[in-house]
Amino acid sequence: MTDHDVFLADCPARTTLDLIADTWSVVVVFGLGHGPRRYNDLRDRIGGISNKMLTQTLRKLERNNLVTRRALSTAPAGAEYRLTPLGESLLGPVSVLARWAEEHADELGDGGSGD
Amino acid sequence: MTDHDVFLADCPARTTLDLIADTWSVVVVFGLGHGPRRYNDLRDRIGGISNKMLTQTLRKLERNNLVTRRALSTAPAGAEYRLTPLGESLLGPVSVLARWAEEHADELGDGGSGD
DNA sequence: CAGTATCCTATCGGATACTG
DNA sequence: CAGTATCCGATAGGATACTG
């Protein structure tokens, strides 16, 4: 099997994991999972994310080729975000994790990340 | 399908994701993927983790039933950590993510999480 | 060996207010 | 509408030193 040392030392997997190891990256990717979304639309859909973090996360995802931004020349301005093919390819793996999360939510002692 | 809204709003998946959305949780789980390990052994294997974070992460994983600690009554003292069945069940989902990470490492613009 | 304690920094992340 | 700017507190995380 190949899934043994994958995350140890300085494998590419570590770098990548670090990229999505924050509260919002994965959530935002998922928020775009159904197709393009506008800024406020996306924020609304996610719920609980601040402007700051949404923007910051989107920029980071852009820099890493997971998301693209397109300015709309509509009247009251507008911007549309969508997943790149790379971004879409992330949906699968993350769904697996999501499913695990849902199935075992009750077995986790406390949700506490608290120290 | 069920993998659409999974991460939005206050689904259990969000809580769980938050639990492992840090630099070390997943890595430590993986570090125990081959079986029980002693503290220093584990730290050595992971590489780049500080005492503080290793301990802190292990405690958090313990609290969430992913890892158990066993004190060894050997001469120079000792402690052994191992995955619980729940912890082991996480290996699968995370491997999928790892594989994605390895395959697409080159497509990610910069590894930069940097702002 | 297996931690704990302390210090310090950088980033995370929310709230609010402001702008084109 | 889609941000940016700013302030603030909380956490993540590293380094080092210390202890049973």
Side-chain angles (χ1 to χ4, degrees), chain B residues 3-93:
Chain B
D3 43 44
H4 33 259
D5 288 284
V6 228
F7 270 137
L8 294 334
D10 37 26
C11 321
R14 270 275 273 275
T15 314
T16 304
L17 183 65
D18 228 69
L19 209 158
I20 57 171
D22 59 84
T23 312
W24 298 115
S25 294
V26 166
V27 178
V28 169
V29 168
F30 245 79
L32 293 173
H34 286 147
R37 289 254 168 199
R38 284 150 131 261
Y39 186 90
N40 280 344
D41 199 4
L42 181 59
R43 189 188 48 196
D44 201 53
R45 221 174 110 67
I46 291 178
I49 192 172
S50 63
N51 280 335
K52 184 188 167 185
M53 291 317 295
L54 179 53
T55 301
Q56 190 173 305
T57 304
L58 282 168
R59 298 284 173 269
K60 187 173 80 174
L61 295 176
E62 276 188 83
R63 281 201 309 278
N64 290 283
N65 308 322
L66 294 168
V67 164
T68 51
R69 190 197 114 116
R70 188 165 66 101
L72 305 176
S73 27
T74 53
E80 188 197 69
Y81 293 89
R82 74 168 65 217
L83 293 179
T84 62
L86 182 59
E88 284 180 15
S89 75
L90 224 195
L91 288 173

Side-chain angles (χ1 to χ4, degrees), chain A residues 12 15-22 25 29 56-69 82-90, chain B residues 100 104-115:
Chain A
T15 314
T16 304
L17 183 65
D18 228 70
L19 208 158
I20 57 172
D22 59 83
S25 293
V29 168
Q56 190 172 307
T57 303
L58 283 169
R59 298 286 172 266
K60 187 173 79 175
L61 295 175
E62 275 187 85
R63 279 201 311 278
N64 288 282
N65 308 322
L66 294 168
V67 163
T68 50
R69 191 196 113 115
R82 74 169 65 215
L83 292 179
T84 62
L86 182 60
E88 285 181 13
S89 75
L90 224 195
Chain B
W100 180 91
H104 300 282
D106 54 315
E107 304 174 56
L108 298 163
D110 66 335
S113 342
D115 198 6

Side-chain angles (χ1 to χ4, degrees), chain A residues 27-85:
Chain A
V27 179
V28 169
V29 168
F30 246 78
L32 294 172
H34 285 147
R37 289 255 169 200
R38 281 146 135 270
Y39 186 90
N40 280 344
D41 199 2
L42 181 57
R43 189 188 49 194
D44 202 52
R45 223 174 107 68
I46 292 178
I49 192 171
S50 61
N51 280 337
K52 183 189 169 185
M53 290 319 295
L54 180 53
T55 302
Q56 190 172 307
T57 303
L58 283 169
R59 298 286 172 266
K60 187 173 79 175
L61 295 175
E62 275 187 85
R63 279 201 311 278
N64 288 282
N65 308 322
L66 294 168
V67 163
T68 50
R69 191 196 113 115
R70 188 165 67 102
L72 305 176
S73 29
T74 52
E80 187 197 68
Y81 293 90
R82 74 169 65 215
L83 292 179
T84 62

